[in-house]
């Protein structure tokens, strides 16, 4: 089939990427990791590109921003999906490791990639992988909250993501340095935390040594995202 419709959208406040994928023929589409404050932009993009939103996928329960999933679901009737171990009960469906989601002319495969959170899931389709906060461009997600585990993140990166074809494009949930995409090969070679020459023990040492402050919105975002971004006031 012809190339997928693809857009990489950005939220400047949380440095979050939202991705739109759609079948060029039937116009059925998917949004990955929408941000609440950007729902109007997303709806406008869908309308302008004549895409009918079928699914909204979350890579994980985010701590730094509130998801636009529930608002988009209400506006479009799209179904919300998230990893089976995410701990949310607001989704329309859960995706287990290896499970495939059919979106008209293309398919998305869920890859369980825990470590940043226990329920993190990456999504692979058509030579692209959406890695959430597991693998960043030249970085990784942190592992110091939401049942994070540097051991598990190492396994997810090295035993799952790095087994994808080398030319697979890597699209993370965030970038803080103006980078937009990478490849599996580049990350194996140049990721300062996760390149293949770094041992598991070194990786764990690096992650445990990070002294990061909590995301500003963590106490607001996590409870809201466990409800797919539904605000208590709106219920
Ligand atoms: Fe995150």
């Amino acid at each position: 089939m012809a190339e997928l419709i693809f857009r990489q959208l950005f939220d400047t406040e949380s440095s979050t990427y939202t991705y739109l994928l759609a079948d060029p023929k039937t116009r059925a589409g998917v949004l990955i990791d929408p941000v609440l404050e950007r729902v109007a932009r997303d709806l406008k993009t869908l309308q302008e590109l004549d895409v009918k939103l079928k699914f909204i996928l979350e890579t994980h329960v985010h701590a730094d921003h509130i998801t636009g999933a529930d608002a988009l679901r209400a506006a479009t009737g799209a179904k919300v999906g998230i990893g089976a171990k995410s701990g949310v009960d607001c989704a329309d469906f859960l995706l287990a490791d290896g499970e495939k989601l059919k979106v008209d002319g293309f398919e998305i495969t869920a890859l369980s990639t825990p470590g940043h959170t226990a329920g993190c899931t990456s999504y692979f389709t058509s030579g692209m992988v959406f890695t959430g906060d597991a693998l960043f461009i030249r970085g990784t997600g942190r592992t110091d909250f939401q049942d994070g585990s540097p051991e598990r993140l190492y396994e997810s990166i090295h035993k799952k993501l790095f087994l994808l074809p080398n030319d697979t494009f890597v699209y993370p949930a965030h970038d803080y340095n103006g980078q937009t995409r990478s490849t599996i090969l580049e990350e194996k070679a140049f990721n300062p935390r996760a390149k293949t020459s770094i041992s598991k023990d070194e990786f764990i040492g690096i992650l445990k040594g990070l002294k990061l402050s909590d995301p500003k919105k963590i106490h607001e975002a996590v409870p809201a995202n466990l409800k797919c971004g539904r605000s208590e006031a709106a219920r």
Side-chain angles (χ1 to χ4, degrees):
M1 103 175 193
E3 229 173 281
L4 294 181
I5 294 168
F6 174 74
R7 291 292 183 277
Q8 183 175 31
L9 303 155
F10 190 59
D11 173 52
T12 43
E13 203 196 320
S14 63
S15 297
T16 301
Y17 284 123
T18 297
Y19 298 96
L20 169 65
L21 293 163
D23 181 323
K25 222 164 116 192
T26 68
R27 319 305 286 184
V30 177
L31 274 172
I32 300 174
D33 286 339
V35 173
L36 183 60
E37 288 80 2
R38 302 286 172 177
V39 164
R41 172 204 63 190
D42 296 346
L43 289 170
K44 186 162 171 272
T45 305
L46 292 168
Q47 192 195 24
E48 287 172 351
L49 299 185
D50 187 28
V51 169
K52 167 139 183 38
L53 193 64
K54 209 165 165 184
F55 301 114
I56 299 154
L57 296 179
E58 298 278 8
T59 54
H60 65 293
V61 175
H62 305 276
D64 63 320
H65 67 272
I66 296 177
T67 172
D70 193 62
L72 284 159
R73 169 165 62 185
T76 65
K79 303 277 185 236
V80 176
I82 192 166
K85 296 196 175 135
S86 59
V88 311
D89 56 10
C90 56
D92 298 294
F93 59 95
L94 298 174
L95 291 161
D97 185 33
E99 205 170 316
K100 291 185 192 323
L101 178 69
K102 180 119 182 68
V103 193
D104 283 3
F106 66 106
E107 223 171 42
I108 294 175
T109 305
L111 301 173
S112 172
T113 48
H116 167 64
T117 71
C120 281
T121 299
S122 297
Y123 298 107
F124 176 75
T125 188
S126 315
M128 302 181 266
V129 64
F130 301 90
T131 52
D133 288 8
L135 181 64
F136 291 154
I137 300 170
R138 311 297 191 265
T140 70
R142 60 198 288 177
T143 55
D144 56 338
F145 52 61
Q146 292 179 284
D147 297 322
S149 153
E151 291 86 351
R152 296 182 80 192
L153 185 58
Y154 181 90
E155 298 293 319
S156 293
I157 292 172
H158 290 264
K159 308 275 168 64
K160 195 70 77 69
L161 296 171
F162 281 2
L163 300 186
L164 294 170
N166 276 333
D167 59 357
T168 305
F169 284 118
V170 173
Y171 287 106
H174 300 285
D175 192 84
Y176 305 97
N177 303 302
Q179 305 160 112
T180 52
R181 74 174 179 186
S182 176
T183 62
I184 292 295
L185 183 66
E186 279 174 67
E187 296 312 310
K188 281 180 181 170
F190 305 121
N191 190 305
R193 289 184 197 170
K195 60 188 169 189
T196 43
S197 58
I198 293 200
S199 71
K200 185 173 182 177
D201 285 347
E202 284 173 298
F203 178 85
I204 293 167
I206 293 169
L207 271 286
K208 285 195 170 160
L210 297 175
K211 297 280 174 263
L212 301 167
S213 48
D214 277 351
K216 274 179 278 170
K217 285 194 177 171
I218 188 167
H219 298 297
E220 179 192 354
V222 171
N225 289 335
L226 287 167
K227 296 187 168 68
C228 292
R230 215 158 30 202
S231 75
E232 284 304 318
R235 295 182 76 190

